[in-house]
Amino acid sequence: MTDLNKRVSESNYFQVLTYEIFKSMFSLDTDANKIYIDLNHTVSILFRNENVNDEKVVEQITYIVEDFISKYLEKGTQLVFIYYTKGSIYHKQIFEDWCKTRDERVDFNKSQFLKALIVNIKKNNSNIKNLKVVNVHGAHPAMYIQKMETNSKLKSVIISKDVTMHTIKSKNIYIYDGKKYYSLNEDTREYPLGADPGIITPYLFKYYIALCGDDRSEYPGYKGVGIRKSNKYISKYTVEIVGDLEHPYKEFLDKYSKLYDMNSMMDWYNDFIAKMKEAKSE
C-alpha cells in the first residue's frame, strides 16, 4: 500500500494510471437496460494524489465520461450516477476507525472535477428522463441499488470496484470492475477476492470478506488470515457458521460480517429513509 501511494504521488505516473483506470471502467459494452455508476468507488484513484484537481488528468478523463454518457443515452439505456459526500453511517456504527481513515482519504469534497461533473450532468441533462444523479447521503450506494432492484426483472449493470456490491441480492444484476464482468445469478456466480465458488455461497460470502479483508478498501480483515486460510476456515466451519454455533472466530465474524450483510444493511436503510421522510414533512 505504501509503495502504491508513493508511486501515485508522482505526477506522471498518476496521470497515466488515472487515465487507464477511467478508460477501463467506462469501456463497458452491455445491452443492459440500466447502468449504475458508483462514482465514489469508481474514481477513488483520484484521491491517492494530493493534487486531485490536476488539470491534465481532468482534461483526459472528462471526455471519457462524456463519450460514455452519449453512447448509452443514444441506445436508450438508463444511467444512474450515484455518489455520497458523507460516508455510510451504518458502517461507521460497526467499524468507526476503519471508516474514519477511509473517509478522510477518499473525500469527495476535495475534488473540484467530481463536483463539476455532477453539476454538469444535472444541468445539461435535466430534461433527459434516462439519466439520474443520486446522492445517497449517509447511506451506502449498494443499499440504494438493492432498494431499486429488488423486484426488477430487467438486466442492470453496476460499474464499481466496491466488493460490497457483490452482496446485493438479484439474479439480474451484473458488476463490472473495469477488468471483469461478474454475474450475481447463483447458477453462474463468481466471487472477487479469491473466494472459492466451490466453498463460498452467497450467504457465506459476507463471512469470507470479513475474515479475508479487502486491500482496495483498506478493510483489514482478521490479522494473519488471507485468501487461502479464509477459504479453508469457511469450509471447515460451514455448519457452525450457518447454524450460529461456536467456532474459533465466531465473535469476530458475528460483528464484522455485518459490514457486508445486505439484510442487516436494508433493515437499517429502510429505517433511515423513513426518518428522512419524517424530517422533510415536519
Side-chain angles (χ1 to χ4, degrees), residues 253-269:
L253 290 181
D254 282 351
K255 178 178 181 179
Y256 293 110
S257 65
K258 295 295 183 184
L259 293 168
Y260 305 99
D261 186 334
M262 187 52 69
N263 287 340
S264 181
M265 281 190 267
M266 292 311 295
D267 286 343
W268 179 90
Y269 185 61

Side-chain angles (χ1 to χ4, degrees), residues 101-221:
T101 300
R102 172 75 175 168
D103 290 346
E104 284 178 354
R105 184 176 71 76
V106 186
D107 184 353
F108 203 91
N109 294 297
K110 290 179 182 178
S111 175
Q112 294 302 319
F113 163 71
L114 292 175
K115 286 189 282 188
L117 174 65
I118 290 170
V119 171
N120 287 335
I121 292 174
K122 288 183 175 181
K123 182 178 179 180
N124 298 332
N125 303 282
S126 59
N127 297 321
I128 300 176
K129 66 178 182 178
N130 276 354
L131 192 148
K132 291 184 179 180
V133 180
V134 179
N135 183 350
V136 294
H137 301 286
H140 189 285
M143 300 175 187
Y144 173 83
I145 296 174
Q146 180 69 73
K147 186 81 171 178
M148 295 296 102
E149 296 299 316
T150 297
N151 298 314
S152 176
K153 295 182 180 180
L154 300 177
K155 180 180 178 180
S156 296
V157 175
I158 303 169
I159 298 178
S160 179
K161 290 179 176 292
D162 186 4
V163 71
T164 309
M165 295 299 179
H166 292 261
T167 66
I168 291 174
K169 299 182 177 183
S170 172
K171 294 181 179 180
N172 303 307
I173 286 183
Y174 297 79
I175 299 170
Y176 181 65
D177 67 2
K179 292 183 178 180
K180 191 167 183 176
Y181 200 63
Y182 294 89
S183 169
L184 297 188
N185 190 316
E186 288 189 37
D187 296 334
T188 55
R189 188 75 182 253
E190 287 187 86
Y191 299 95
L193 301 180
D196 185 341
I199 298 171
I200 307 303
T201 64
Y203 177 80
L204 291 171
F205 188 52
K206 60 180 178 284
Y207 296 102
Y208 175 83
I209 312 170
L211 193 59
C212 180
D214 176 21
D215 286 343
R216 196 208 64 81
S217 70
E218 298 158 273
Y219 167 67

